[in-house]
Amino acid sequence: MKYTTIYHKAVVVPEGTPNPLFGPETATYVELVDEGGGQFIELVQYDHLHTEQKLRIEFTEFEHICEVIATLRG
């Protein structure tokens, strides 16, 4: 039987974070999600009260959003 590896989740934290998996208010969780209607990206952050903030981005929107961010950034 052959297997394949699927990378679907990553955590972005500031460099030097002492406990990167236990410091949720400094982390951004990036996940590839599919609930049956096609894949999308989900970004999750937690505030200082550990309240979850979630943003879902369709792949068809992603490139355009990146272009807009680059424009705003200058």
Side-chain angles (χ1 to χ4, degrees):
M1 181 180 301
K2 291 187 176 187
Y3 290 90
T4 187
T5 302
I6 300 170
Y7 298 96
H8 72 97
K9 193 169 190 175
V11 182
V12 179
V13 295
E15 196 170 313
T17 300
N19 294 310
L21 298 179
F22 298 105
E25 66 275 355
T26 63
T28 300
Y29 300 88
V30 182
E31 185 170 2
L32 181 61
V33 180
D34 189 342
E35 296 176 341
Q39 295 179 342
F40 57 90
I41 295 173
E42 185 172 86
L43 304 174
V44 178
Q45 292 182 327
Y46 295 89
D47 64 17
H48 66 286
L49 299 173
H50 301 284
T51 304
E52 181 181 74
Q53 307 295 319
K54 190 181 290 189
L55 176 64
R56 292 178 163 191
I57 302 171
E58 299 288 335
F59 277 103
T60 55
E61 300 174 290
F62 186 76
E63 186 175 324
H64 182 69
I65 290 170
C66 290
E67 289 173 9
V68 170
I69 291 170
T71 300
L72 292 173
R73 189 174 184 194

